Amino acid sequence: MSIAIDTSIRAGVSSQALEIKPISGPLGAEITGLDLNLPLSGLDLARIRMALVRHNVVVFRDQHITPEQHVAFSRRFGPLQVHVLNRFHLQGHPEILIVSNVIEDGKPIGLVDAGADWHSDLSYMPKPSLGSLLHAQELPAEQGDTSFANMFNAYETLPAEVKQLLEGRRAVHSYVYRYRRLQKLSPWRADLTQKQIDEVPEVEHPVIRIHPESGRKALFVSEGFTSHIVGLPKDESDALLRFLHEHSVDPENVYRHQWRAHDMVFWDNRSTLHYAAITPQQLRRTLYRTTVEGDIPV
Ligand code: SIN
């Protein structure tokens, strides 16, 4: 049997003076004392990972890092997923998706409406994302917040009869379903090519998933990517998904992140949904996103 040893442990890298400060509200913590320009020890990584699982979203302030460092840090948590919209990859860094409302030479430099409805990143993949790391590049003086909903709470606060109704149910997640819906609202979404469509066939996942690291149950459906619940008539599935959506994004269950320059935000896609309204074009907003691959949901 081979045992994986973190290279930072082997190299004897010393730990940074991390402090984890929970944000008051349903989720979130700020991690201070971390500088992503310095080497990270195995202990630093373990503490970040534990904070992520416990608080669902962790915020690192004032990180002056290059795209290479962003990718290298993200990779410490698992393999990275490459987004199907290759048009918005950062040049030379296909693991980075540009999220931006900036138009240059009449063309968008990034995906302007990446967060335009509530979703969990890449839930349409057979192995949905463990988490996403979003690093602020250029921020407007106002607007541009990102909101996160706690999907452990969403499950735990469901009425008993709804929990029973959902037990053992599966739902379909589809990239193309969401894309075509957003396409009606956004002039920047060109038609997908057949190759892109073939890369993201729809998938089924359990409606309630067990978090692989904490063992807690989380609701795993979203307004964005979940087209329907398997085995229910369309009107019943639509009504149930609408109910679950409204229940999940109740303001009491949401943390709204107001971005500061050079913030890096790391969220757990297995236990949160997120949303960011499109920021008007005159308020320039650009962020770089990586997504770490997770497990097959159970
Ligand atoms: C996203 O959905 O990954 C983008 C979120 C944002 O624009 O803040």
Side-chain angles (χ1 to χ4, degrees), residues 254-284:
V254 169
Y255 160 64
R256 185 166 174 154
H257 182 72
Q258 288 181 311
W259 289 89
R260 291 193 212 151
H262 310 291
D263 272 359
M264 166 80 93
V265 176
F266 184 9
W267 64 84
D268 191 330
N269 279 307
R270 304 162 297 183
S271 60
T272 59
L273 298 182
H274 60 281
Y275 163 80
I278 299 176
T279 310
Q281 225 176 80
Q282 70 279 10
L283 304 172
R284 291 168 64 102

PDB file of all heavy atoms in Angstrom, residues 254-284:
ATOM      1  N   VAL A 254     -28.193  32.915   4.339  1.00  0.00           N
ATOM      2  CA  VAL A 254     -27.278  33.432   3.304  1.00  0.00           C
ATOM      3  C   VAL A 254     -26.231  34.371   3.908  1.00  0.00           C
ATOM      4  O   VAL A 254     -26.551  35.218   4.741  1.00  0.00           O
ATOM      5  CB  VAL A 254     -28.097  34.168   2.200  1.00  0.00           C
ATOM      6  CG1 VAL A 254     -27.188  34.939   1.257  1.00  0.00           C
ATOM      7  CG2 VAL A 254     -28.939  33.161   1.411  1.00  0.00           C
ATOM      8  N   TYR A 255     -24.988  34.178   3.462  1.00  0.00           N
ATOM      9  CA  TYR A 255     -23.912  35.146   3.757  1.00  0.00           C
ATOM     10  C   TYR A 255     -23.601  35.884   2.451  1.00  0.00           C
ATOM     11  O   TYR A 255     -23.407  35.252   1.404  1.00  0.00           O
ATOM     12  CB  TYR A 255     -22.652  34.411   4.256  1.00  0.00           C
ATOM     13  CG  TYR A 255     -21.393  35.239   4.123  1.00  0.00           C
ATOM     14  CD1 TYR A 255     -21.231  36.416   4.844  1.00  0.00           C
ATOM     15  CD2 TYR A 255     -20.370  34.860   3.243  1.00  0.00           C
ATOM     16  CE1 TYR A 255     -20.079  37.200   4.702  1.00  0.00           C
ATOM     17  CE2 TYR A 255     -19.213  35.624   3.094  1.00  0.00           C
ATOM     18  CZ  TYR A 255     -19.085  36.796   3.825  1.00  0.00           C
ATOM     19  OH  TYR A 255     -17.967  37.569   3.680  1.00  0.00           O
ATOM     20  N   ARG A 256     -23.542  37.209   2.561  1.00  0.00           N
ATOM     21  CA  ARG A 256     -23.265  38.007   1.355  1.00  0.00           C
ATOM     22  C   ARG A 256     -21.860  38.577   1.467  1.00  0.00           C
ATOM     23  O   ARG A 256     -21.584  39.369   2.372  1.00  0.00           O
ATOM     24  CB  ARG A 256     -24.320  39.119   1.284  1.00  0.00           C
ATOM     25  CG  ARG A 256     -24.221  39.938   0.042  1.00  0.00           C
ATOM     26  CD  ARG A 256     -25.480  40.764  -0.126  1.00  0.00           C
ATOM     27  NE  ARG A 256     -25.303  41.649  -1.258  1.00  0.00           N
ATOM     28  CZ  ARG A 256     -26.267  42.143  -1.985  1.00  0.00           C
ATOM     29  NH1 ARG A 256     -27.516  41.848  -1.704  1.00  0.00           N
ATOM     30  NH2 ARG A 256     -26.014  42.945  -2.995  1.00  0.00           N
ATOM     31  N   HIS A 257     -20.997  38.187   0.559  1.00  0.00           N
ATOM     32  CA  HIS A 257     -19.600  38.618   0.627  1.00  0.00           C
ATOM     33  C   HIS A 257     -19.411  39.911  -0.147  1.00  0.00           C
ATOM     34  O   HIS A 257     -19.662  39.972  -1.353  1.00  0.00           O
ATOM     35  CB  HIS A 257     -18.674  37.531   0.052  1.00  0.00           C
ATOM     36  CG  HIS A 257     -17.236  37.922   0.157  1.00  0.00           C
ATOM     37  ND1 HIS A 257     -16.576  37.953   1.364  1.00  0.00           N
ATOM     38  CD2 HIS A 257     -16.352  38.340  -0.776  1.00  0.00           C
ATOM     39  CE1 HIS A 257     -15.334  38.367   1.158  1.00  0.00           C
ATOM     40  NE2 HIS A 257     -15.173  38.604  -0.133  1.00  0.00           N
ATOM     41  N   GLN A 258     -18.928  40.936   0.571  1.00  0.00           N
ATOM     42  CA  GLN A 258     -18.581  42.209  -0.085  1.00  0.00           C
ATOM     43  C   GLN A 258     -17.088  42.158  -0.359  1.00  0.00           C
ATOM     44  O   GLN A 258     -16.283  42.111   0.580  1.00  0.00           O
ATOM     45  CB  GLN A 258     -18.904  43.376   0.830  1.00  0.00           C
ATOM     46  CG  GLN A 258     -20.404  43.593   0.954  1.00  0.00           C
ATOM     47  CD  GLN A 258     -20.733  44.774   1.844  1.00  0.00           C
ATOM     48  OE1 GLN A 258     -20.222  44.907   2.938  1.00  0.00           O
ATOM     49  NE2 GLN A 258     -21.608  45.623   1.353  1.00  0.00           N
ATOM     50  N   TRP A 259     -16.751  42.160  -1.607  1.00  0.00           N
ATOM     51  CA  TRP A 259     -15.358  41.956  -2.002  1.00  0.00           C
ATOM     52  C   TRP A 259     -14.471  43.132  -1.623  1.00  0.00           C
ATOM     53  O   TRP A 259     -14.891  44.284  -1.727  1.00  0.00           O
ATOM     54  CB  TRP A 259     -15.289  41.738  -3.521  1.00  0.00           C
ATOM     55  CG  TRP A 259     -15.848  40.427  -3.931  1.00  0.00           C
ATOM     56  CD1 TRP A 259     -17.159  40.151  -4.257  1.00  0.00           C
ATOM     57  CD2 TRP A 259     -15.144  39.194  -4.041  1.00  0.00           C
ATOM     58  NE1 TRP A 259     -17.292  38.811  -4.566  1.00  0.00           N
ATOM     59  CE2 TRP A 259     -16.077  38.205  -4.450  1.00  0.00           C
ATOM     60  CE3 TRP A 259     -13.820  38.808  -3.842  1.00  0.00           C
ATOM     61  CZ2 TRP A 259     -15.726  36.875  -4.673  1.00  0.00           C
ATOM     62  CZ3 TRP A 259     -13.463  37.483  -4.049  1.00  0.00           C
ATOM     63  CH2 TRP A 259     -14.408  36.541  -4.455  1.00  0.00           C
ATOM     64  N   ARG A 260     -13.240  42.813  -1.216  1.00  0.00           N
ATOM     65  CA  ARG A 260     -12.198  43.830  -1.037  1.00  0.00           C
ATOM     66  C   ARG A 260     -11.049  43.484  -1.973  1.00  0.00           C
ATOM     67  O   ARG A 260     -10.878  42.307  -2.342  1.00  0.00           O
ATOM     68  CB  ARG A 260     -11.667  43.796   0.397  1.00  0.00           C
ATOM     69  CG  ARG A 260     -12.679  44.278   1.406  1.00  0.00           C
ATOM     70  CD  ARG A 260     -11.951  44.502   2.727  1.00  0.00           C
ATOM     71  NE  ARG A 260     -12.815  44.223   3.837  1.00  0.00           N
ATOM     72  CZ  ARG A 260     -12.390  43.797   5.027  1.00  0.00           C
ATOM     73  NH1 ARG A 260     -11.107  43.583   5.249  1.00  0.00           N
ATOM     74  NH2 ARG A 260     -13.247  43.578   5.994  1.00  0.00           N
ATOM     75  N   ALA A 261     -10.244  44.499  -2.286  1.00  0.00           N
ATOM     76  CA  ALA A 261      -9.143  44.284  -3.241  1.00  0.00           C
ATOM     77  C   ALA A 261      -8.303  43.078  -2.835  1.00  0.00           C
ATOM     78  O   ALA A 261      -7.963  42.926  -1.655  1.00  0.00           O
ATOM     79  CB  ALA A 261      -8.277  45.536  -3.296  1.00  0.00           C
ATOM     80  N   HIS A 262      -7.983  42.218  -3.782  1.00  0.00           N
ATOM     81  CA  HIS A 262      -7.099  41.047  -3.620  1.00  0.00           C
ATOM     82  C   HIS A 262      -7.660  39.965  -2.705  1.00  0.00           C
ATOM     83  O   HIS A 262      -6.910  39.116  -2.223  1.00  0.00           O
ATOM     84  CB  HIS A 262      -5.698  41.468  -3.141  1.00  0.00           C
ATOM     85  CG  HIS A 262      -5.099  42.566  -3.959  1.00  0.00           C
ATOM     86  ND1 HIS A 262      -4.697  42.372  -5.255  1.00  0.00           N
ATOM     87  CD2 HIS A 262      -4.892  43.881  -3.683  1.00  0.00           C
ATOM     88  CE1 HIS A 262      -4.245  43.526  -5.734  1.00  0.00           C
ATOM     89  NE2 HIS A 262      -4.356  44.454  -4.802  1.00  0.00           N
ATOM     90  N   ASP A 263      -8.963  39.987  -2.459  1.00  0.00           N
ATOM     91  CA  ASP A 263      -9.575  38.868  -1.717  1.00  0.00           C
ATOM     92  C   ASP A 263      -9.462  37.586  -2.518  1.00  0.00           C
ATOM     93  O   ASP A 263      -9.600  37.595  -3.762  1.00  0.00           O
ATOM     94  CB  ASP A 263     -11.094  39.106  -1.547  1.00  0.00           C
ATOM     95  CG  ASP A 263     -11.459  39.891  -0.315  1.00  0.00           C
ATOM     96  OD1 ASP A 263     -10.552  40.257   0.442  1.00  0.00           O
ATOM     97  OD2 ASP A 263     -12.670  40.140  -0.132  1.00  0.00           O
ATOM     98  N   MET A 264      -9.254  36.493  -1.799  1.00  0.00           N
ATOM     99  CA  MET A 264      -9.415  35.151  -2.380  1.00  0.00           C
ATOM    100  C   MET A 264     -10.505  34.483  -1.544  1.00  0.00           C
ATOM    101  O   MET A 264     -10.391  34.422  -0.316  1.00  0.00           O
ATOM    102  CB  MET A 264      -8.099  34.363  -2.265  1.00  0.00           C
ATOM    103  CG  MET A 264      -8.235  32.883  -2.516  1.00  0.00           C
ATOM    104  SD  MET A 264      -8.305  32.498  -4.261  1.00  0.00           S
ATOM    105  CE  MET A 264      -6.572  32.177  -4.571  1.00  0.00           C
ATOM    106  N   VAL A 265     -11.551  34.004  -2.199  1.00  0.00           N
ATOM    107  CA  VAL A 265     -12.629  33.319  -1.477  1.00  0.00           C
ATOM    108  C   VAL A 265     -12.673  31.875  -1.970  1.00  0.00           C
ATOM    109  O   VAL A 265     -12.664  31.617  -3.172  1.00  0.00           O
ATOM    110  CB  VAL A 265     -13.987  34.033  -1.695  1.00  0.00           C
ATOM    111  CG1 VAL A 265     -15.106  33.251  -1.009  1.00  0.00           C
ATOM    112  CG2 VAL A 265     -13.937  35.450  -1.139  1.00  0.00           C
ATOM    113  N   PHE A 266     -12.682  30.969  -1.003  1.00  0.00           N
ATOM    114  CA  PHE A 266     -12.690  29.520  -1.293  1.00  0.00           C
ATOM    115  C   PHE A 266     -13.987  28.978  -0.711  1.00  0.00           C
ATOM    116  O   PHE A 266     -14.217  29.095   0.498  1.00  0.00           O
ATOM    117  CB  PHE A 266     -11.461  28.905  -0.598  1.00  0.00           C
ATOM    118  CG  PHE A 266     -11.203  27.438  -0.842  1.00  0.00           C
ATOM    119  CD1 PHE A 266     -11.904  26.705  -1.797  1.00  0.00           C
ATOM    120  CD2 PHE A 266     -10.218  26.787  -0.103  1.00  0.00           C
ATOM    121  CE1 PHE A 266     -11.628  25.354  -2.012  1.00  0.00           C
ATOM    122  CE2 PHE A 266      -9.932  25.433  -0.310  1.00  0.00           C
ATOM    123  CZ  PHE A 266     -10.643  24.723  -1.267  1.00  0.00           C
ATOM    124  N   TRP A 267     -14.869  28.412  -1.549  1.00  0.00           N
ATOM    125  CA  TRP A 267     -16.127  27.882  -1.023  1.00  0.00           C
ATOM    126  C   TRP A 267     -16.263  26.401  -1.339  1.00  0.00           C
ATOM    127  O   TRP A 267     -15.691  25.900  -2.308  1.00  0.00           O
ATOM    128  CB  TRP A 267     -17.337  28.666  -1.522  1.00  0.00           C
ATOM    129  CG  TRP A 267     -17.605  28.641  -2.996  1.00  0.00           C
ATOM    130  CD1 TRP A 267     -18.290  27.686  -3.693  1.00  0.00           C
ATOM    131  CD2 TRP A 267     -17.223  29.637  -3.960  1.00  0.00           C
ATOM    132  NE1 TRP A 267     -18.359  28.029  -5.023  1.00  0.00           N
ATOM    133  CE2 TRP A 267     -17.725  29.216  -5.212  1.00  0.00           C
ATOM    134  CE3 TRP A 267     -16.524  30.849  -3.887  1.00  0.00           C
ATOM    135  CZ2 TRP A 267     -17.533  29.954  -6.376  1.00  0.00           C
ATOM    136  CZ3 TRP A 267     -16.328  31.584  -5.050  1.00  0.00           C
ATOM    137  CH2 TRP A 267     -16.837  31.133  -6.267  1.00  0.00           C
ATOM    138  N   ASP A 268     -17.049  25.749  -0.505  1.00  0.00           N
ATOM    139  CA  ASP A 268     -17.290  24.314  -0.630  1.00  0.00           C
ATOM    140  C   ASP A 268     -18.549  24.131  -1.481  1.00  0.00           C
ATOM    141  O   ASP A 268     -19.657  24.481  -1.033  1.00  0.00           O
ATOM    142  CB  ASP A 268     -17.464  23.717   0.782  1.00  0.00           C
ATOM    143  CG  ASP A 268     -17.456  22.199   0.775  1.00  0.00           C
ATOM    144  OD1 ASP A 268     -17.875  21.609  -0.248  1.00  0.00           O
ATOM    145  OD2 ASP A 268     -17.044  21.597   1.785  1.00  0.00           O
ATOM    146  N   ASN A 269     -18.372  23.595  -2.682  1.00  0.00           N
ATOM    147  CA  ASN A 269     -19.527  23.408  -3.573  1.00  0.00           C
ATOM    148  C   ASN A 269     -20.401  22.231  -3.156  1.00  0.00           C
ATOM    149  O   ASN A 269     -21.478  22.031  -3.721  1.00  0.00           O
ATOM    150  CB  ASN A 269     -19.047  23.203  -5.018  1.00  0.00           C
ATOM    151  CG  ASN A 269     -18.718  24.510  -5.709  1.00  0.00           C
ATOM    152  OD1 ASN A 269     -19.531  25.426  -5.734  1.00  0.00           O
ATOM    153  ND2 ASN A 269     -17.511  24.605  -6.263  1.00  0.00           N
ATOM    154  N   ARG A 270     -19.925  21.431  -2.189  1.00  0.00           N
ATOM    155  CA  ARG A 270     -20.704  20.285  -1.726  1.00  0.00           C
ATOM    156  C   ARG A 270     -21.724  20.695  -0.673  1.00  0.00           C
ATOM    157  O   ARG A 270     -22.617  19.933  -0.343  1.00  0.00           O
ATOM    158  CB  ARG A 270     -19.753  19.216  -1.161  1.00  0.00           C
ATOM    159  CG  ARG A 270     -18.701  18.788  -2.172  1.00  0.00           C
ATOM    160  CD  ARG A 270     -17.524  18.082  -1.526  1.00  0.00           C
ATOM    161  NE  ARG A 270     -16.810  18.952  -0.610  1.00  0.00           N
ATOM    162  CZ  ARG A 270     -15.706  18.609   0.046  1.00  0.00           C
ATOM    163  NH1 ARG A 270     -15.191  17.400  -0.136  1.00  0.00           N
ATOM    164  NH2 ARG A 270     -15.109  19.451   0.861  1.00  0.00           N
ATOM    165  N   SER A 271     -21.556  21.887  -0.124  1.00  0.00           N
ATOM    166  CA  SER A 271     -22.445  22.303   0.977  1.00  0.00           C
ATOM    167  C   SER A 271     -22.943  23.736   0.831  1.00  0.00           C
ATOM    168  O   SER A 271     -23.495  24.282   1.786  1.00  0.00           O
ATOM    169  CB  SER A 271     -21.701  22.167   2.310  1.00  0.00           C
ATOM    170  OG  SER A 271     -20.549  22.993   2.300  1.00  0.00           O
ATOM    171  N   THR A 272     -22.721  24.337  -0.329  1.00  0.00           N
ATOM    172  CA  THR A 272     -23.231  25.708  -0.544  1.00  0.00           C
ATOM    173  C   THR A 272     -23.776  25.855  -1.956  1.00  0.00           C
ATOM    174  O   THR A 272     -23.413  25.103  -2.866  1.00  0.00           O
ATOM    175  CB  THR A 272     -22.110  26.775  -0.415  1.00  0.00           C
ATOM    176  OG1 THR A 272     -21.090  26.496  -1.383  1.00  0.00           O
ATOM    177  CG2 THR A 272     -21.522  26.845   0.972  1.00  0.00           C
ATOM    178  N   LEU A 273     -24.620  26.866  -2.112  1.00  0.00           N
ATOM    179  CA  LEU A 273     -24.939  27.422  -3.435  1.00  0.00           C
ATOM    180  C   LEU A 273     -24.444  28.866  -3.410  1.00  0.00           C
ATOM    181  O   LEU A 273     -24.319  29.453  -2.339  1.00  0.00           O
ATOM    182  CB  LEU A 273     -26.450  27.446  -3.687  1.00  0.00           C
ATOM    183  CG  LEU A 273     -27.217  26.132  -3.715  1.00  0.00           C
ATOM    184  CD1 LEU A 273     -28.689  26.413  -4.035  1.00  0.00           C
ATOM    185  CD2 LEU A 273     -26.631  25.162  -4.737  1.00  0.00           C
ATOM    186  N   HIS A 274     -24.187  29.416  -4.585  1.00  0.00           N
ATOM    187  CA  HIS A 274     -23.805  30.826  -4.606  1.00  0.00           C
ATOM    188  C   HIS A 274     -24.486  31.552  -5.754  1.00  0.00           C
ATOM    189  O   HIS A 274     -24.979  30.933  -6.711  1.00  0.00           O
ATOM    190  CB  HIS A 274     -22.284  30.997  -4.663  1.00  0.00           C
ATOM    191  CG  HIS A 274     -21.648  30.379  -5.861  1.00  0.00           C
ATOM    192  ND1 HIS A 274     -21.389  29.025  -5.966  1.00  0.00           N
ATOM    193  CD2 HIS A 274     -21.228  30.930  -7.027  1.00  0.00           C
ATOM    194  CE1 HIS A 274     -20.829  28.776  -7.132  1.00  0.00           C
ATOM    195  NE2 HIS A 274     -20.726  29.913  -7.803  1.00  0.00           N
ATOM    196  N   TYR A 275     -24.448  32.874  -5.638  1.00  0.00           N
ATOM    197  CA  TYR A 275     -25.153  33.732  -6.588  1.00  0.00           C
ATOM    198  C   TYR A 275     -24.462  35.092  -6.643  1.00  0.00           C
ATOM    199  O   TYR A 275     -24.038  35.606  -5.597  1.00  0.00           O
ATOM    200  CB  TYR A 275     -26.608  33.912  -6.123  1.00  0.00           C
ATOM    201  CG  TYR A 275     -27.336  35.063  -6.769  1.00  0.00           C
ATOM    202  CD1 TYR A 275     -27.868  34.938  -8.051  1.00  0.00           C
ATOM    203  CD2 TYR A 275     -27.494  36.277  -6.100  1.00  0.00           C
ATOM    204  CE1 TYR A 275     -28.529  36.009  -8.654  1.00  0.00           C
ATOM    205  CE2 TYR A 275     -28.152  37.344  -6.690  1.00  0.00           C
ATOM    206  CZ  TYR A 275     -28.668  37.199  -7.970  1.00  0.00           C
ATOM    207  OH  TYR A 275     -29.312  38.254  -8.554  1.00  0.00           O
ATOM    208  N   ALA A 276     -24.332  35.661  -7.833  1.00  0.00           N
ATOM    209  CA  ALA A 276     -23.829  37.031  -7.959  1.00  0.00           C
ATOM    210  C   ALA A 276     -24.592  37.694  -9.100  1.00  0.00           C
ATOM    211  O   ALA A 276     -24.539  37.210 -10.242  1.00  0.00           O
ATOM    212  CB  ALA A 276     -22.330  37.043  -8.262  1.00  0.00           C
ATOM    213  N   ALA A 277     -25.295  38.773  -8.785  1.00  0.00           N
ATOM    214  CA  ALA A 277     -26.045  39.493  -9.833  1.00  0.00           C
ATOM    215  C   ALA A 277     -25.051  40.046 -10.853  1.00  0.00           C
ATOM    216  O   ALA A 277     -23.898  40.343 -10.495  1.00  0.00           O
ATOM    217  CB  ALA A 277     -26.833  40.631  -9.206  1.00  0.00           C
ATOM    218  N   ILE A 278     -25.484  40.184 -12.092  1.00  0.00           N
ATOM    219  CA  ILE A 278     -24.599  40.766 -13.108  1.00  0.00           C
ATOM    220  C   ILE A 278     -24.324  42.230 -12.724  1.00  0.00           C
ATOM    221  O   ILE A 278     -25.250  42.987 -12.434  1.00  0.00           O
ATOM    222  CB  ILE A 278     -25.247  40.703 -14.507  1.00  0.00           C
ATOM    223  CG1 ILE A 278     -25.509  39.244 -14.900  1.00  0.00           C
ATOM    224  CG2 ILE A 278     -24.381  41.402 -15.548  1.00  0.00           C
ATOM    225  CD1 ILE A 278     -26.239  39.074 -16.217  1.00  0.00           C
ATOM    226  N   THR A 279     -23.058  42.601 -12.707  1.00  0.00           N
ATOM    227  CA  THR A 279     -22.685  43.981 -12.362  1.00  0.00           C
ATOM    228  C   THR A 279     -22.743  44.823 -13.639  1.00  0.00           C
ATOM    229  O   THR A 279     -22.225  44.397 -14.681  1.00  0.00           O
ATOM    230  CB  THR A 279     -21.244  43.998 -11.791  1.00  0.00           C
ATOM    231  OG1 THR A 279     -21.164  42.998 -10.769  1.00  0.00           O
ATOM    232  CG2 THR A 279     -20.893  45.345 -11.204  1.00  0.00           C
ATOM    233  N   PRO A 280     -23.378  46.016 -13.557  1.00  0.00           N
ATOM    234  CA  PRO A 280     -23.463  46.845 -14.778  1.00  0.00           C
ATOM    235  C   PRO A 280     -22.074  47.114 -15.370  1.00  0.00           C
ATOM    236  O   PRO A 280     -21.094  47.251 -14.639  1.00  0.00           O
ATOM    237  CB  PRO A 280     -24.099  48.153 -14.278  1.00  0.00           C
ATOM    238  CG  PRO A 280     -24.735  47.815 -12.965  1.00  0.00           C
ATOM    239  CD  PRO A 280     -23.996  46.650 -12.394  1.00  0.00           C
ATOM    240  N   GLN A 281     -22.067  47.212 -16.697  1.00  0.00           N
ATOM    241  CA  GLN A 281     -20.790  47.255 -17.424  1.00  0.00           C
ATOM    242  C   GLN A 281     -19.858  48.402 -17.021  1.00  0.00           C
ATOM    243  O   GLN A 281     -18.645  48.255 -17.049  1.00  0.00           O
ATOM    244  CB  GLN A 281     -21.114  47.372 -18.900  1.00  0.00           C
ATOM    245  CG  GLN A 281     -20.307  46.464 -19.757  1.00  0.00           C
ATOM    246  CD  GLN A 281     -20.782  46.607 -21.180  1.00  0.00           C
ATOM    247  OE1 GLN A 281     -20.407  47.558 -21.869  1.00  0.00           O
ATOM    248  NE2 GLN A 281     -21.612  45.686 -21.618  1.00  0.00           N
ATOM    249  N   GLN A 282     -20.454  49.539 -16.618  1.00  0.00           N
ATOM    250  CA  GLN A 282     -19.579  50.684 -16.276  1.00  0.00           C
ATOM    251  C   GLN A 282     -18.853  50.463 -14.951  1.00  0.00           C
ATOM    252  O   GLN A 282     -17.888  51.168 -14.640  1.00  0.00           O
ATOM    253  CB  GLN A 282     -20.371  52.006 -16.288  1.00  0.00           C
ATOM    254  CG  GLN A 282     -21.378  52.205 -15.181  1.00  0.00           C
ATOM    255  CD  GLN A 282     -22.714  51.496 -15.411  1.00  0.00           C
ATOM    256  OE1 GLN A 282     -22.855  50.679 -16.321  1.00  0.00           O
ATOM    257  NE2 GLN A 282     -23.702  51.794 -14.575  1.00  0.00           N
ATOM    258  N   LEU A 283     -19.284  49.463 -14.172  1.00  0.00           N
ATOM    259  CA  LEU A 283     -18.619  49.162 -12.892  1.00  0.00           C
ATOM    260  C   LEU A 283     -17.740  47.925 -13.116  1.00  0.00           C
ATOM    261  O   LEU A 283     -18.168  46.799 -12.901  1.00  0.00           O
ATOM    262  CB  LEU A 283     -19.659  48.882 -11.795  1.00  0.00           C
ATOM    263  CG  LEU A 283     -20.696  49.976 -11.550  1.00  0.00           C
ATOM    264  CD1 LEU A 283     -21.773  49.504 -10.580  1.00  0.00           C
ATOM    265  CD2 LEU A 283     -20.012  51.225 -11.004  1.00  0.00           C
ATOM    266  N   ARG A 284     -16.541  48.122 -13.540  1.00  0.00           N
ATOM    267  CA  ARG A 284     -15.697  47.011 -14.000  1.00  0.00           C
ATOM    268  C   ARG A 284     -15.420  46.017 -12.871  1.00  0.00           C
ATOM    269  O   ARG A 284     -15.027  46.393 -11.771  1.00  0.00           O
ATOM    270  CB  ARG A 284     -14.371  47.535 -14.549  1.00  0.00           C
ATOM    271  CG  ARG A 284     -14.533  48.305 -15.853  1.00  0.00           C
ATOM    272  CD  ARG A 284     -13.265  49.039 -16.193  1.00  0.00           C
ATOM    273  NE  ARG A 284     -12.151  48.143 -16.456  1.00  0.00           N
ATOM    274  CZ  ARG A 284     -11.703  47.826 -17.665  1.00  0.00           C
ATOM    275  NH1 ARG A 284     -12.293  48.304 -18.737  1.00  0.00           N
ATOM    276  NH2 ARG A 284     -10.645  47.034 -17.790  1.00  0.00           N
TER     277      ARG A 284
END
